[in-house]
């Protein structure tokens, strides 16, 4: 009984090992085929890849200032009174300026605890030690108010500066925190509806890429064929002194795929470059003489 | 076996852990036999509060533990109605120091004698009967002996020790009469009020006592109290007659004649009570062009001062944004700039005199990080100015004490100095001076006892020390704070009542005449943080108040986030509400209280609701707003803001000529607005009629009254209130 059982086990192992060996061999063969086949195709394809940047300069269309209207107090009702009066007065103050094309967007409301609050001076309002964990913890209600003055491309520079100064004065007098106050710029300049400009820059980049690729093809004794691929390359924000707005608040040199949310922002007043870099791959065809042969 | 042992060890450890956690998390319970604090004078809160007191940033001058135990014994025996033992226990307390304070269950500390009086007055009837059984004979004997030259002393002893005996009310009435005749009207009023309050079964005519106390309050300049008395007479004794000067008169009409005119009341009452009481109406000047400007520090020196602390890793030193204590009268501006005194002509800004040159002040300050600019002060009285500071040559000497000096206003000549007066030499001044009548009041600490805060009354004429009363003890030695403002006590005078806010968790009421402490109150506050790390952020600490209006005291300590209102008729806590830590008291009117700091805000006094809050730019904690009848003004780094008191809306801004500064203090005098910043003093001409009430018509009398009273006020920087610095 035991001999039969041992024999049966031995046969099973031998059969399994054969199956395993066959499987490994098949997989290896498939991999080799898969890896070598494209190479073979590549080896047969003649192509040239070039990168080119197209640039279109434009004047900013919008001036933006971001304020943080906050009401903060130990009693939530006090925080609400402070917040409401702060927003109302800020809106009133700007509306009294009677500036055309000035729009104030009220962004998302935030309710939270307050650790410390910078008052724009050397001082901070520090919650008492342990306050965060007690009923004394202050409640802070805040909302970002974004001032957008549009159509500024049509204003003369002096006129624009005067308007900006008036806006900054009111913003500072309101006692609210100007977002970005700590950095060099408290005002930003942006280009709205940049898609058309990007299209222009893309066209310029493509033309430039084609010209450059044609030159390389000629050097290689070939002529340019069809476009095999086009890839838009992310530009380095620092290179072009611009950044994409983060739609989730704040500003960062991040890029977002959604074309609708894109907007070009500069911290300085001047012509803003809109740049698009493309990496284009062209097929290379034999030169005319080779074809005749 | 070993496993079994291990199991029991685990169980034991778990039980211990649970016990420890439970003991930490559960609220503290009184020990067996300890008095339980309820709102009842018969239950002294002394022992229950002992533990809390140890943690307070400022401890009031409480009585000894022995007396607290005696009071606890009394309470225990009272509950058992073992009266003989109960009264025996009280004898210990009666024999103790009269200024020792006893904590009441509601948080107030009152002198042991007052406490005992209240304690006995609230005994049940059988307790009172027992007390009279034991003490009536002695009290009656004292009353009989109270004649001739010993009359006052014996009556006082009777009232202090045997007030609830059957003759206590008669003695208190007679004592009140005597004190009234001697001119001690506050004390007299209190005697008559105490009969009304603690001797309800007294045979003395209630209306008569009310009229007497009302007259005394009127003489003491306490119109709010007069109004309260008049109200009570109207409601309860409308048709009763009283005897005044040998003739019978109607009680209500008698006291109504004492009431100040309604219109005049606001100015007169608040003028001497609120540090920033409503002044005359004012509108900002139309032009930013100043009349003149006096540069205290050049821009370069201001920057050098601002960066000085960086060399030491302190960050910005407090002196960098300090605004010098300044006062104005109708002719001159007086400045105490870190002990360097100078005077400017109000019309031209010309330097009239100075105590010493200070062109190299920044160099002098480089080696002193314990500069304490907050401890400098100034006040004007008559033809003199009183200043607090280190001597001019010792500004950089950390060990140099702060001294009180008296100068001639016109010439700057020093008349006396506390350093040269034997009775004042041991004292280091600690706070801004304030003056009333022939006295200067100032808080001070003693050499070698730098945690004990005292209030000193000093003869204004010659600097003689009249009395010194201990207010309490700091938990932290505030004279050793490097990186932040130390607590500068502020004072407010209301008749004979002198309020001391320590700004570190306690307010004390002291009799301005005798120096006797009437009561003290602890409020929530943080002790200064002595754990300093390099370039640590400084908290925004502002100083304002205390304020008195309608017989209510308002306190907001610099290290507290609580606004406290005390009904002075009690005293009882009227309300306590959270406000922002950097908030400071600006002023109070009939219905609203105004707070300053990084936000100007109004609080409804009836509901205690926040009505509005307006953010203003702030760059120095030394800023101090002024209040007029319908406006608030604050000097900010972006100019002077004019705010509507009703809505909180900014109705005007005056950029002015000092936009390089951090803002600061506003002073008002005779159609001239003076701004004092960290770097300069600037004067602006106000519109004709802007200070309309200052010199014409019915307002003239009010202003005289206001000026007289306001001159006695202390303000956070030591400057006298706007428009009130005149002789």
């Amino acid at each position: 009984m035991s001999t039969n059982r041992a024999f049966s086990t031995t046969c099973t192992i031998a059969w399994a090992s054969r199956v395993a060996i066959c499987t490994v061999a098949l997989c290896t063969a498939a991999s080799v085929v898969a890896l070598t086949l494209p190479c073979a195709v590549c080896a047969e394809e003649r192509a040239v890849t070039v990168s080119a940047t197209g640039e279109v300069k434009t004047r900013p269309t919008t001036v933006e200032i971001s304020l943080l209207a906050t009401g903060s107090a130990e009693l939530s009702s006090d925080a609400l009174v402070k917040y409401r009066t702060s927003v109302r007065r800020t809106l009133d103050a700007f509306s009294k300026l009677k500036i055309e094309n000035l729009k104030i967007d009220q962004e998302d409301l935030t309710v939270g605890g307050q650790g410390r609050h910078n008052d724009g001076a050397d001082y901070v309002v520090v919650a008492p030690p342990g306050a965060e964990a007690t009923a004394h913890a202050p409640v802070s209600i805040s909302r970002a108010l974004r001032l957008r003055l549009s159509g500024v491309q049509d204003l003369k520079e002096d006129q624009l500066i005067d308007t900006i100064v008036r806006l900054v004065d009111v913003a500072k007098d309101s006692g609210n925190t100007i977002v970005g106050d700590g950095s060099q710029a408290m005002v930003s300049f942006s280009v709205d509806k940049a898609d058309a400009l990007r299209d222009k820059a893309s066209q310029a980049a493509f033309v430039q890429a084609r010209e450059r690729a044609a030159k390389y093809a000629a050097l290689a004794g070939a002529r340019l064929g069809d476009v095999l691929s086009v890839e838009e390359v992310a530009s380095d924000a620092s290179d072009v002194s611009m950044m994409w707005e983060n739609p989730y608040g704040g500003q960062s040199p991040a890029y977002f795929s959604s074309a609708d949310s894109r907007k070009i922002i500069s911290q300085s007043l001047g012509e803003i470059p809109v740049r698009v870099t493309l990496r284009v791959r062209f097929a290379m065809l034999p030169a005319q003489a080779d074809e005749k042969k | 076996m070993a496993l079994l042992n291990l199991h029991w060890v685990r169980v034991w450890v778990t039980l211990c852990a649970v016990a420890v956690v439970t003991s930490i998390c559960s609220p503290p319970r009184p020990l067996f036999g300890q008095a339980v604090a309820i709102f009842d004078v018969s239950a002294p809160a002394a022992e229950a509060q002992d533990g809390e007191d140890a943690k307070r940033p400022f401890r009031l001058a409480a009585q000894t533990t022995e007396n607290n135990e005696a009071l606890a014994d009394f309470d225990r025996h009272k509950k058992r109605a073992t009266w003989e033992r109960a009264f025996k226990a009280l004898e210990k307390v009666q024999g103790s120091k009269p200024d020792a304070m006893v904590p009441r269950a509601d948080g107030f500390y009152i002198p042991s004698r007052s406490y005992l009086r209240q304690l006995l007055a609230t005994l049940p009837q059988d307790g009172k009967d027992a007390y009279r059984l034991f003490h009536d004979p002695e009290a009656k004997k004292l009353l009989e002996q109270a004649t001739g030259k010993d009359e006052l002393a014996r009556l006082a002893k009777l009232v202090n020790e045997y007030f609830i005996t059957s003759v206590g009310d008669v003695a208190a009435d007679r004592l009140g009469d005597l004190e009234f005749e001697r001119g001690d009207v506050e004390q007299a009023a209190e005697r008559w009020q105490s009969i009304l309050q603690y001797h309800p079964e007294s045979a003395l005519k209630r209306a008569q006592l009310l009229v007497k106390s009302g007259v005394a309050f009127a003489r003491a300049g306490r119109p709010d109290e007069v109004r309260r008395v008049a109200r009570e007479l109207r409601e309860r004794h409308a048709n009763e007659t009283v005897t005044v000067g040998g003739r019978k008169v109607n009680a209500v009409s008698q006291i109504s004649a004492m009431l100040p005119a309604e219109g005049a009341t606001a100015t007169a009452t608040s003028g001497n009570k609120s540090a920033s009481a409503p002044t005359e109406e004012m509108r900002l000047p139309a032009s930013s062009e100043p009349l003149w400007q006096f540069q205290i520090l050049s821009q370069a020196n201001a920057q050098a001062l601002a960066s000085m602390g960086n060399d030491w890793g302190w960050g910005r030193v407090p002196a960098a944004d300090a605004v010098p204590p300044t006062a104005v009268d109708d002719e001159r501006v007086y400045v105490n700039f870190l002990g360097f005194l100078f005077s400017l002509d109000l019309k031209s800004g010309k330097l009239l005199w100075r105590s010493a040159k200070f062109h190299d002040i920044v160099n002098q300050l480089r080696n002193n990080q314990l500069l304490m600019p907050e401890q400098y002060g100034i006040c004007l009285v008559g033809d003199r100015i009183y200043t607090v500071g280190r001597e001019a040559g010792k500004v950089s000497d950390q060990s140099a004490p702060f001294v009180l000096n008296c100068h001639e206003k016109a010439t700057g000549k020093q008349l006396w100095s506390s350093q040269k007066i034997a009775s004042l030499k041991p004292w280091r001044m600690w706070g801004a001076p304030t003056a009333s009548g022939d006295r200067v009041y100032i808080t001070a600490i003693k050499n070698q006892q730098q945690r004990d805060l005292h209030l000193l009354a000093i003869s204004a004429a010659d600097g003689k020390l009249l009395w010194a009363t201990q207010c309490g003890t700091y938990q932290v030695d505030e004279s050793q704070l490097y990186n932040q403002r130390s607590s500068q006590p502020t004072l407010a005078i209301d008749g004979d009542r002198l309020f001391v806010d320590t700004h570190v968790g306690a307010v004390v009421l002291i009799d301005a005449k005798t120096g006797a402490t009437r009561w003290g109150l602890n409020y929530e506050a943080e002790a200064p943080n002595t754990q300093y790390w390099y370039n640590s952020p400084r908290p925004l600490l502002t100083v304002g108040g205390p304020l008195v209006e309608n017989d209510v005291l308002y306190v907001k300590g610099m290290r507290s986030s609580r606004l406290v209102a005390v009904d002075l008729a009690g005293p009882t806590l009227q309300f306590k509400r959270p406000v922002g830590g950097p908030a400071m008291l600006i002023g109070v009117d009939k219905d609203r209280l105004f707070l300053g700091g990084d936000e100007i805000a109004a609080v409804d006094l009836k509901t205690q609701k926040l009505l509005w809050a307006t953010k203003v730019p702030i760059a120095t904690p030394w800023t101090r707003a002024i209040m007029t009848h319908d406006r608030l003004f604050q000097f900010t780094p972006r100019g002077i803001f004019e705010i509507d008191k009703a809505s909180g809306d900014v109705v005007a801004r005056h950029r002015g000529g000092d936009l390089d500064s951090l803002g600061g203090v506003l002073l008002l005098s005779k159609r001239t607005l003076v701004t004092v910043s960290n770097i300069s003093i600037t004067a602006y001409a106000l519109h004709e009629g802007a200070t309309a009430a200052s010199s014409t018509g019915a307002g003239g009398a009010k202003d005289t009254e206001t000026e007289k009273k306001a001159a006695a006020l202390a303000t956070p920087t030591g400057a006298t209130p706007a428009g009130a610095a005149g002789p």
Side-chain angles (χ1 to χ4, degrees):
Chain A
M1 230 0 225
S2 60
T3 312
N4 284 344
R5 196 175 292 161
F7 174 75
S8 167
T9 308
T10 310
C11 285
T12 307
I13 291 169
W15 181 83
S17 59
R18 273 185 214 130
V19 169
I21 289 164
C22 287
T23 308
V24 170
L26 280 170
C27 288
T28 309
S31 304
V32 168
V33 170
L35 290 169
T36 53
L37 195 59
C39 288
V41 172
C42 287
E44 286 175 7
E45 186 186 69
R46 299 181 70 199
V48 59
T49 303
V50 290
S51 292
T53 301
E55 182 180 292
V56 177
K57 286 190 173 175
T58 182
R59 279 177 63 80
T61 57
T62 306
V63 171
E64 294 192 5
I65 298 174
S66 287
L67 300 176
L68 194 63
T70 307
S72 185
E74 192 175 318
L75 296 178
S76 305
S77 56
D78 286 0
L80 192 60
V81 170
K82 290 179 180 185
Y83 161 74
R84 281 182 176 152
T85 50
S86 174
V87 171
R88 179 180 65 76
R89 287 208 190 95
T90 307
L91 297 179
D92 285 353
F94 283 110
S95 71
K96 278 179 190 166
L97 290 177
K98 292 180 180 168
I99 296 175
E100 271 184 61
N101 299 329
L102 178 65
K103 195 180 157 197
I104 302 174
D105 294 336
Q106 296 189 38
E107 300 190 342
D108 292 344
L109 186 84
T110 311
V111 181
Q114 179 205 36
R116 62 175 51 168
H117 165 60
N118 192 340
D119 286 284
D122 246 10
Y123 295 92
V124 289
V125 180
V126 183
E132 294 79 4
T134 69
H136 295 332
V139 174
S140 181
I141 304 173
S142 57
R143 187 191 289 274
L145 303 175
R146 183 158 296 198
L147 273 72
R148 295 177 196 270
L149 177 65
S150 56
V152 298
Q153 72 276 14
D154 301 329
L155 297 176
K156 288 178 183 171
E157 188 168 299
D158 286 349
Q159 205 180 349
L160 179 57
I161 291 169
D162 285 347
T163 311
I164 290 170
V165 166
R166 286 169 70 200
L167 289 174
V168 169
D169 265 345
V170 172
K172 285 194 138 192
D173 289 340
S174 73
N176 292 315
T177 310
I178 299 178
V179 178
D181 209 351
S183 71
Q184 288 287 319
M186 59 179 73
V187 177
S188 60
F189 304 91
S190 63
V191 180
D192 287 336
K193 296 175 184 172
D195 284 351
L197 295 166
R198 289 181 51 76
D199 287 349
K200 278 187 184 175
S202 302
Q203 282 173 16
F206 194 84
V207 169
Q208 198 183 344
R210 181 178 282 282
E211 286 171 359
R212 200 177 292 171
K215 280 181 191 170
Y216 292 137
L219 287 172
R223 64 186 172 87
L224 219 53
D226 293 338
V227 173
L228 299 176
S229 70
V230 180
E231 189 183 346
E232 190 173 327
V233 180
S235 299
D236 184 354
S238 60
D239 280 353
V240 295
S241 305
M242 68 178 191
M243 52 191 176
W244 300 99
E245 184 186 18
N246 180 345
Y248 299 101
Q251 292 173 348
S252 66
Y255 293 83
F256 290 87
S257 57
S258 165
D260 295 340
S261 67
R262 284 182 176 183
K263 186 173 62 176
I264 300 164
I265 299 174
S266 169
Q267 292 185 347
S268 54
L269 178 59
E271 288 203 320
I272 299 175
V274 180
R275 289 175 183 160
V276 173
T277 301
L278 297 178
R279 186 181 292 141
V280 189
R281 185 173 173 81
F282 294 94
M284 284 204 296
L285 301 174
Q288 296 290 345
D290 290 347
E291 274 185 355
K292 282 176 186 172
K293 279 179 189 176
Chain B
M1 191 61 190
L3 277 174
L4 193 65
N5 281 344
L6 190 62
H7 170 74
W8 281 112
V9 167
R10 278 180 191 155
V11 169
W12 178 245
V13 168
T14 309
L15 284 173
C16 287
V18 169
V20 168
V21 169
T22 311
S23 64
I24 290 168
C25 298
S26 60
R29 287 156 188 258
L31 297 173
F32 178 73
Q34 207 170 29
V36 179
I38 52 170
F39 187 80
D40 178 359
V41 286
S42 64
E47 290 180 37
Q49 292 189 358
D50 272 357
E52 285 175 35
D53 275 356
K55 296 174 199 163
R56 291 189 193 282
F58 189 90
R59 294 189 68 178
L60 293 164
Q63 62 171 2
T64 60
T65 310
E66 195 180 35
N67 281 350
N68 291 339
E69 285 170 2
L71 287 170
D73 284 347
F74 169 81
D75 190 49
R76 198 165 52 248
H77 292 306
K78 190 190 96 176
K79 280 176 187 160
R80 293 175 192 159
T82 49
W83 298 114
E84 190 175 0
R85 289 184 181 180
F87 300 139
K88 195 80 183 166
L90 283 191
E91 282 175 12
K92 272 186 191 171
V93 186
Q94 278 174 331
S96 67
K97 283 199 300 181
D99 56 348
M101 306 265 272
V102 184
R104 250 172 26 183
D106 59 355
F108 283 91
Y109 282 67
I110 58 173
S112 52
R113 279 186 182 167
S114 303
Y115 184 83
L116 288 180
R117 194 190 306 160
Q118 291 177 24
L119 199 65
L120 294 169
T122 52
L123 285 176
Q125 194 53 47
D126 60 332
K128 282 184 184 174
D129 292 342
Y131 186 85
R132 284 167 188 163
L133 189 69
F134 289 122
H135 296 105
D136 255 9
E138 197 163 350
K140 283 177 180 169
K141 194 176 160 190
L142 272 172
L143 188 64
E144 281 169 18
Q145 291 171 347
T147 52
K149 62 176 183 178
D150 292 336
E151 185 180 9
L152 190 76
R154 288 185 193 279
L155 286 174
K157 183 176 168 64
L158 196 164
V159 170
N160 286 334
E161 295 180 15
Y162 307 111
F163 181 62
I164 66 152
T165 57
S166 59
V167 294
D169 53 342
V170 178
D173 185 35
R174 270 179 60 186
L175 187 60
D177 288 339
L178 287 176
E179 285 168 340
F180 188 84
E181 283 167 20
R182 287 159 54 95
D184 198 353
V185 286
E186 287 262 359
Q187 194 67 37
E190 197 185 301
R191 301 290 182 203
W192 291 314
Q193 283 289 316
S194 66
I195 302 171
L196 293 165
Q197 203 173 349
Y198 301 123
H199 251 289
E201 71 281 13
S202 172
L204 295 171
K205 204 173 174 184
R206 198 172 170 82
Q208 183 83 42
L209 293 170
L210 278 169
V211 169
K212 279 182 172 183
S213 62
V215 172
F217 282 135
R219 291 276 176 88
R222 291 171 62 181
D224 303 326
E225 289 289 350
V226 182
R227 236 178 274 120
R228 188 177 59 78
V229 168
R231 195 166 52 241
E232 192 176 341
L233 279 170
R234 272 196 303 272
E235 287 169 3
R236 296 186 185 179
H237 311 281
N239 301 316
E240 289 187 37
T241 54
V242 293
T243 307
V244 176
R247 60 191 181 88
K248 289 193 171 179
V249 291
N250 178 268
V252 176
S253 56
Q254 179 66 25
I255 208 69
S256 296
M258 300 277 173
L259 283 172
E262 201 58 41
T265 310
T267 311
T269 52
S270 56
N272 70 330
K273 296 172 183 176
S274 305
S276 297
T279 61
E280 305 86 358
E281 213 39 80
M282 182 181 97
R283 293 291 178 267
L284 290 176
S287 165
S288 281
E289 194 60 37
L291 273 178
W292 52 261
Q293 187 167 66
F294 182 89
Q295 203 77 18
I296 306 169
L297 283 176
S298 66
Q299 198 62 37
N301 270 343
Q303 280 172 3
L305 195 57
S307 60
M308 189 182 293
N310 294 333
D311 303 341
W312 297 74
W314 301 127
R316 199 180 171 97
V317 291
D321 45 24
V323 175
T326 305
V328 292
D329 61 16
D330 293 343
E331 295 173 20
R332 305 181 200 95
V333 179
Y334 308 89
V335 186
N336 179 1
F337 176 57
L338 297 172
F340 296 91
L341 309 181
F342 59 89
S343 175
L344 307 171
D345 183 76
L346 186 62
K347 281 184 185 165
S348 64
K350 190 180 163 188
L351 182 68
L352 298 174
W353 55 260
R354 67 181 167 196
S355 61
K357 288 183 179 177
F358 54 89
H359 60 281
D360 62 340
I361 183 74
V362 175
N363 285 333
Q364 290 187 43
L365 300 179
R366 282 192 196 283
N367 295 322
N368 185 6
Q369 301 300 306
L370 259 175
L371 191 61
M372 297 197 161
E374 65 276 10
Q375 297 300 344
Y376 289 81
I378 193 168
C379 84
L380 286 183
V381 184
D383 58 356
R384 295 178 176 198
I385 52 173
Y386 298 88
T387 62
V388 171
R390 287 181 174 132
E391 287 178 49
K394 295 181 177 175
V395 67
S396 57
D397 181 358
Q398 288 183 186
S399 62
F402 283 88
V403 298
L404 175 68
N405 295 323
C406 173
H407 296 261
E408 250 179 28
K409 208 165 71 168
T411 61
K413 182 187 165 191
Q414 190 180 87
L415 299 174
W416 54 261
S417 169
S418 62
Q419 277 302 85
K420 293 170 187 165
I421 295 169
S423 59
L424 290 180
K425 208 168 181 182
W427 296 96
R428 302 164 79 101
M429 304 305 155
W430 193 254
T434 200
S436 177
D438 57 353
R439 293 177 177 193
V440 179
Y441 300 96
I442 188 165
T443 41
I445 51 179
K446 250 185 176 174
N447 290 329
Q448 314 303 326
Q449 294 171 16
Q450 297 187 49
R451 294 192 187 198
D452 293 342
L453 183 73
H454 292 74
L455 176 69
L456 311 185
I458 296 165
S459 164
D462 54 11
K464 189 181 162 193
L465 179 66
L466 301 173
W467 49 257
T469 298
Q470 188 178 353
C471 302
T473 308
Y474 291 105
Q475 188 190 95
V476 169
D477 182 356
E478 301 240 353
S479 66
Q480 299 298 316
L481 294 180
Y482 284 79
N483 62 325
Q484 56 182 291
R485 288 176 81 169
S486 55
S487 307
Q488 185 197 31
T490 52
L491 313 177
I493 297 179
D494 177 39
D496 280 352
R497 299 185 292 188
L498 211 163
F499 300 92
V500 183
D501 184 4
T502 62
H503 282 279
V504 67
V507 61
V508 185
L509 170 57
I510 290 172
D511 188 305
K513 276 193 176 172
T514 62
T517 307
R518 293 196 193 167
W519 54 258
L521 175 69
N522 280 125
Y523 57 82
E524 288 169 54
E526 296 290 326
N529 184 7
T530 51
Q531 299 297 313
Y532 181 78
W533 63 95
Y534 287 113
N535 293 316
S536 65
R538 274 191 291 149
L540 184 64
L541 298 173
T542 58
V543 178
L547 304 175
V548 183
E549 188 67 36
N550 291 328
D551 219 31
V552 177
L553 172 74
Y554 300 95
V555 177
K556 161 65 183 72
M558 67 185 279
R559 298 187 195 282
S560 174
S561 59
R562 293 290 179 273
L563 168 66
V564 179
V566 176
D567 183 351
L568 294 173
T572 50
L573 189 67
Q574 194 174 73
F575 70 81
K576 184 175 74 169
R577 96 184 291 286
V579 290
M584 62 185 284
L585 293 170
I586 295 178
V588 59
D589 63 16
K590 200 177 163 192
D591 308 312
R592 295 159 300 181
L593 181 138
F594 299 94
L595 296 164
D598 59 337
E599 287 171 319
I600 309 285
V603 176
D604 185 282
L605 289 177
K606 273 186 192 160
T607 62
Q608 289 100 53
K609 279 189 177 169
L610 183 72
L611 297 172
W612 52 259
T614 303
K615 280 189 180 172
V616 286
I618 186 168
T620 171
W622 304 76
T623 187
R624 184 160 48 86
I626 58 172
M627 184 173 94
T628 66
H629 289 296
D630 63 351
R631 295 282 192 268
L632 297 160
F633 297 87
Q634 181 144 318
F635 177 28
T636 78
R638 298 188 55 76
I640 304 163
F641 279 49
E642 180 178 339
I643 294 167
D644 180 18
K645 275 167 75 176
S647 66
D649 290 342
V650 178
V651 289
R653 283 179 204 89
H654 177 72
R655 297 292 183 204
D658 194 14
L659 290 173
D660 290 333
S661 75
L662 303 174
V665 173
L666 290 168
L667 299 168
L668 187 63
S669 176
K670 289 276 180 184
R671 287 198 285 277
T672 306
L673 178 67
V674 179
T675 64
V676 188
S677 73
N678 59 317
I679 56 172
S680 60
I681 296 165
T682 313
Y684 303 92
L686 292 173
H687 289 298
E688 197 66 26
T691 55
S694 62
S695 58
T696 55
K702 291 173 214 164
D703 294 329
T704 310
E705 181 72 4
T706 306
E707 285 182 3
K708 209 187 293 174
K709 291 179 174 179
L713 288 171
T715 57
T717 58
T720 46

